[in-house]
Amino acid sequence: QSVLTQPPSVSGAPGQRVTISCTGSSSNIGADYDVHWYQQLPGTAPRVLIYGNSNRPSGVPDRFSGSKSGTSASLAITGLQAEDEAHYYCQSYDSTLSSSRVVFGGGTKLTVL
Amino acid sequence: QVKLVESGGGVVQPGRSLRLSCAASGFRFSYYALHWVRQAPGKGLEWVAVISFDGKNKFAADSVKGRFSISRDNSKNTVYLQMNSLKIEDTGVYYCARVPSPSAARPHNYFDYWGQGALVTVSS
């Protein structure tokens, strides 16, 4: 059971817009910790898509955008392309009285129809 | 360019030990904190451990605390993960990942560079 909750799968046709949600709680996203997003293509290491809730590293197309509100965050992908088919993970930080740690969502498989 | 290369993976029996290495190049190694993140077959990402730029601060996930230890040698640009008392559920790909910060405990850290991963299989 992941600390951050993502839908297991989403899908969309080429050119469409899809969003992937990441739901946390008051000890992570709701505590104002940043949310970051990673893309993992089959058989490869993850790569950062969005950092600090809404910032794109150089080289990441502006079709990818991130937002955060309250205890949730979202990744939006517009103009869907075949090469976007991958797993997507959100990541944040969780801090309670007993422990502090990096946490990930369970991942979302994006299928381009 | 930044490069992280893991090595040391393999097949090991439950209860035995293994040490992973991550050799870094292309950046000022001693300036950055480094993490290990793992991924069980067909599963999601799980944070394992972190070490600060100078090796003085280290933290590990509860699932590996007391069994795994992280260390680094800044003279060799290498970070290590010593894995003892391995369990079947430790099977997976282990990634070395850099954060753009020297601190091991900065809450807003994200992973800006990843290695290609090392496969660890724990099986009898």
Side-chain angles (χ1 to χ4, degrees), chain B residues 98-119:
Chain B
R98 193 191 85 163
V99 291
S101 163
S103 169
R106 183 174 179 272
H108 301 294
N109 272 340
Y110 66 98
F111 304 107
D112 59 353
Y113 290 96
W114 298 68
Q116 86 289 349
L119 177 60

Side-chain angles (χ1 to χ4, degrees), chain A residues 11-86:
Chain A
S11 62
Q16 282 190 332
R17 179 182 186 270
V18 296
T19 61
I20 298 173
S21 60
C22 175
T23 303
S25 66
S26 59
S27 63
N28 42 71
I29 299 176
D32 208 26
Y33 294 129
D34 285 349
V35 177
H36 321 292
W37 292 90
Y38 302 89
Q39 178 192 59
Q40 187 175 33
L41 298 170
T44 70
R47 70 152 178 158
V48 60
L49 272 185
I50 298 290
Y51 67 93
N53 305 315
S54 59
N55 301 291
R56 271 188 317 275
S58 60
V60 173
D62 59 7
R63 301 187 296 105
F64 295 89
S65 63
S67 63
K68 176 188 148 185
S69 178
T71 58
S72 295
S74 288
L75 173 71
I77 310 172
T78 58
L80 210 54
Q81 299 180 5
E83 58 259 36
D84 298 334
E85 189 159 291

Side-chain angles (χ1 to χ4, degrees), chain B residues 65-81:
Chain B
K65 209 171 282 184
R67 300 188 299 121
F68 290 12
S69 63
I70 188 171
S71 61
R72 66 190 292 161
D73 186 338
N74 284 350
S75 69
K76 295 183 178 178
N77 286 3
T78 301
V79 63
Y80 304 97
L81 185 68

Side-chain angles (χ1 to χ4, degrees), chain A residues 83-104:
Chain A
E83 58 259 36
D84 298 334
E85 189 159 291
H87 281 89
Y88 293 83
Y89 295 90
C90 60
Q91 177 245 311
S92 187
Y93 190 80
D94 187 85
S95 184
T96 64
L97 287 176
S98 56
S99 72
S100 296
R101 56 188 172 135
V102 172
V103 290
F104 288 96

Side-chain angles (χ1 to χ4, degrees), chain B residues 32-83:
Chain B
Y32 295 88
L34 286 153
H35 295 243
W36 288 96
V37 176
R38 69 182 180 183
Q39 187 169 34
K43 302 295 184 183
L45 302 170
E46 180 189 14
W47 173 74
V48 175
V50 58
I51 187 166
S52 62
F53 72 107
D54 58 0
K56 290 183 179 178
N57 293 298
K58 308 172 187 181
F59 302 96
D62 288 345
S63 58
V64 306
K65 209 171 282 184
R67 300 188 299 121
F68 290 12
S69 63
I70 188 171
S71 61
R72 66 190 292 161
D73 186 338
N74 284 350
S75 69
K76 295 183 178 178
N77 286 3
T78 301
V79 63
Y80 304 97
L81 185 68
Q82 178 66 44
M83 304 184 292

